[in-house]
Amino acid sequence: MEEMITREFEILNQYGIHARPAALFVKTASRFDAEIIVEKGDNRVSGKSIMGLMTLEASKGSMLKITVEGEDGEEALAEIGALIEGKFDED
Amino acid sequence: MKPKERSGDKLSITVGEFFEKAQEALSLELVAGGDGMDNRIVEAAINRPGLALTGFYEYFAWKRIQTFGYAEHKYLSSLAVVARDERLKEFFCSKIPCVVLARNKKITAEMRKLADEFNVPVLRTKMVTKYFMNAATILMENLMAPTLKVQGTMIEFMGIGVLIEGKSGMGKSDTALSLVKKGAALVSDDITKLRVDSLSRALLASPVELTRYHMEIKGVGIIHVPSLFGVAAVRSEKVLNLIVTLCNKGDIDDSVSLDGEKLTREILGVDVRNVKIAVVPGRDIANVVEVATLDYKLKMLGHDAAKELDDRLIDVMSGGRGVYR
């Protein structure tokens, strides 16, 4: 079985994960084969679904738990992490 | 995929081309100077050379079609013979492309001699000057409008002009056929002529005359659309509103198109909305094109679904109730 990695991130950009950041997130996530699951509270969605990410209503300051599973999972997590920490090039 | 560029802005047309295209519509006949049919008309506007005939050449629009109306005739006949011949000679050797005599006025012997000598075609129309000027201006604007031939199938669907483009074998014609069965009208199959309308600055799409209303459906052959589906299934011209590009999966990144990412493409200086669709076995492309067309129409009504959802989400995340504004 593949190794699962989970890491938590704080959303830093002012408007949270609205459409544009969600699109960027999915664009990055879709480049990897690994399965990517994003959780906020009880909500659990695929990191490769725009509609899914938008339903998280991840505003500034909220915490996202991202779990990756697959060979390139670690790399995916690093890139997605950089995106979140880089405020999705917003603000 | 880039459209195949054939001809862009036309810099000029010959008198012969003008005569051929306008002969019927403007009831023109050639009366003299037939050797000058290759003269080039560089400007689309039509000129009344009244001032030039008085001898004023400091500013003279010699690149245009020169039209003699009632005023020019009256003025010329008011001159003494010697003066008239002199003025006419000066006029005919000023590099003008051609002369049109309105109101079916007869050509004088002197004018005929000058026309043949300087190879300036003289055309005659039965039309009254003002009607000729209006009709000829519109015709010239259209003849000299920038045109382009692109590889793509053009349809009109729910009032929207849609160009379906993509490499051969991507299913352009099949998609168009499905949409025709859903009520679309075919404008052209595979090769579409585009030109910029001089008034509205919109792109007008039309078929190539010879093959119009025919389609090639692989495995079936060539079909005649109005014979099979009725005259409502064809249309001779339509404004281009939306370009749908059919691509191979992998050629485009469609994983994340929120709203086609507001893609536009410039054709002949006009921006046209462009949607790219990945063709995957089993995907109902006609259905996707239909939705893209409907969504475009909705946007034109001022309703941007993607943007509205985004605004609502931002509102919810900043503590609002997420009501539609």
Side-chain angles (χ1 to χ4, degrees):
Chain A
M1 194 174 147
E2 304 275 359
E3 199 193 344
M4 268 172 45
I5 315 168
T6 301
R7 212 170 287 165
E8 271 200 275
F9 296 93
E10 185 184 348
I11 299 303
L12 303 170
N13 59 311
Q14 194 191 342
Y15 294 108
I17 300 194
H18 62 101
R20 202 192 71 93
L24 268 175
F25 192 116
V26 173
K27 201 172 202 159
T28 306
S30 301
R31 294 210 323 269
F32 299 96
D33 291 327
E35 196 173 331
I36 299 165
I37 297 296
V38 185
E39 285 170 277
K40 186 191 153 221
D42 296 337
N43 283 331
R44 187 183 153 90
V45 299
S46 163
K48 295 179 184 180
S49 156
I50 290 188
M51 298 304 270
L53 286 173
M54 285 169 79
T55 55
L56 291 179
E57 296 174 17
S59 53
K60 183 179 182 182
S62 57
M63 299 301 287
L64 291 189
K65 199 160 87 181
I66 304 178
T67 306
V68 292
E69 186 181 354
E71 267 185 34
D72 54 5
E74 197 162 354
E75 208 185 323
L77 200 54
E79 286 211 21
I80 291 167
L83 210 54
I84 295 173
E85 278 154 13
K87 297 182 177 181
F88 297 95
D89 297 324
E90 288 190 353
D91 303 350
Chain B
M1 200 177 59
K2 283 248 167 88
K4 218 183 284 171
E5 306 233 357
R6 296 265 180 79
S7 52
D9 230 325
K10 280 203 195 112
L11 294 173
S12 65
I13 63 167
T14 65
V15 176
E17 284 170 312
F18 167 72
F19 183 59
E20 191 196 328
K21 296 268 165 52
Q23 191 171 10
E24 220 170 296
L26 305 178
S27 63
L28 288 171
E29 56 173 324
L30 176 69
V31 289
D35 287 345
M37 292 305 252
D38 288 334
N39 293 354
R40 304 206 79 87
I41 307 166
V42 183
E43 287 177 7
I46 314 292
N47 193 48
R48 290 284 299 268
L51 272 176
L53 293 176
T54 69
F56 181 79
Y57 282 93
E58 257 169 67
Y59 180 83
F60 173 47
W62 58 275
K63 292 170 179 170
R64 305 174 182 177
I65 294 172
Q66 307 293 324
T67 302
F68 281 24
Y70 201 60
E72 283 80 3
H73 282 289
K74 272 284 171 202
Y75 175 72
L76 284 172
S77 52
S78 77
L79 294 176
V81 178
V82 182
R84 180 165 64 223
D85 290 354
E86 221 166 78
R87 297 283 169 76
L88 273 175
K89 183 165 183 178
E90 196 175 7
F91 178 67
F92 271 89
C93 67
S94 61
K95 293 194 261 179
I96 49 173
C98 66
V99 177
V100 175
L101 306 176
R103 294 175 165 262
N104 219 14
K105 290 283 182 199
K106 285 219 168 60
I107 185 170
T108 59
E110 175 63 17
M111 219 189 269
R112 183 185 298 278
K113 207 183 115 223
L114 289 166
D116 290 335
E117 187 182 340
F118 294 103
N119 294 331
V120 175
V122 176
L123 309 168
R124 189 167 67 165
T125 176
K126 292 186 186 72
M127 292 172 88
V128 175
T129 321
K130 66 172 176 178
Y131 295 129
F132 171 81
M133 295 287 287
N134 291 345
T137 306
I138 293 169
L139 206 139
M140 281 299 292
E141 288 280 1
N142 285 336
L143 284 179
M144 293 185 70
T147 61
L148 185 70
K149 268 185 194 159
V150 294
Q151 196 181 19
T153 296
M154 178 78 193
I155 56 166
E156 178 266 322
F157 190 40
M158 296 178 292
I160 309 294
V162 185
L163 179 74
I164 305 166
E165 61 160 30
K167 289 184 199 120
S168 131
M170 295 298 275
K172 298 188 291 285
S173 300
D174 288 6
T175 304
L177 188 61
S178 299
L179 292 168
V180 163
K181 296 194 74 179
K182 286 184 182 183
L186 177 80
V187 177
S188 60
D189 183 36
D190 213 29
I191 301 290
T192 300
K193 279 199 298 187
L194 298 174
R195 74 175 162 85
V196 181
D197 182 62
S198 51
L199 266 182
S200 64
R201 306 305 299 165
L203 281 171
L204 287 175
S206 58
V208 175
E209 192 60 34
L210 181 72
T211 54
R212 77 174 188 182
Y213 307 153
H214 288 82
M215 280 182 108
E216 196 221 331
I217 302 297
K218 297 212 165 56
V220 178
I222 288 172
I223 61 168
H224 186 238
V225 173
S227 302
L228 292 179
F229 304 105
V231 286
V234 290
R235 200 184 152 119
S236 59
E237 193 172 69
K238 175 68 193 157
V239 172
L240 173 58
N241 303 115
L242 176 68
I243 302 172
V244 174
T245 311
L246 306 184
C247 320
N248 283 310
K249 195 164 173 60
D251 286 358
I252 51 158
D253 177 14
D254 70 339
S255 55
V256 199
S257 35
L258 276 175
D259 56 350
E261 305 209 336
K262 296 213 160 47
L263 208 56
T264 58
R265 200 161 81 211
E266 192 194 309
I267 297 179
L268 298 172
V270 181
D271 283 331
V272 186
R273 198 173 166 79
N274 187 196
V275 174
K276 294 186 177 181
I277 295 174
V279 176
V280 190
R283 194 175 189 198
D284 184 350
I285 301 300
N287 193 34
V288 180
V289 175
E290 181 178 359
V291 170
T293 309
L294 275 171
D295 190 55
Y296 172 86
K297 197 166 174 176
L298 191 65
K299 280 198 180 72
M300 290 305 104
L301 295 171
H303 200 65
D304 188 331
K307 191 174 179 311
E308 280 161 30
L309 176 58
D310 195 28
D311 288 348
R312 200 166 149 232
L313 178 61
I314 290 175
D315 185 42
V316 167
M317 289 193 296
S318 34
R321 282 163 47 230
V323 285
Y324 277 112
R325 261 169 278 172

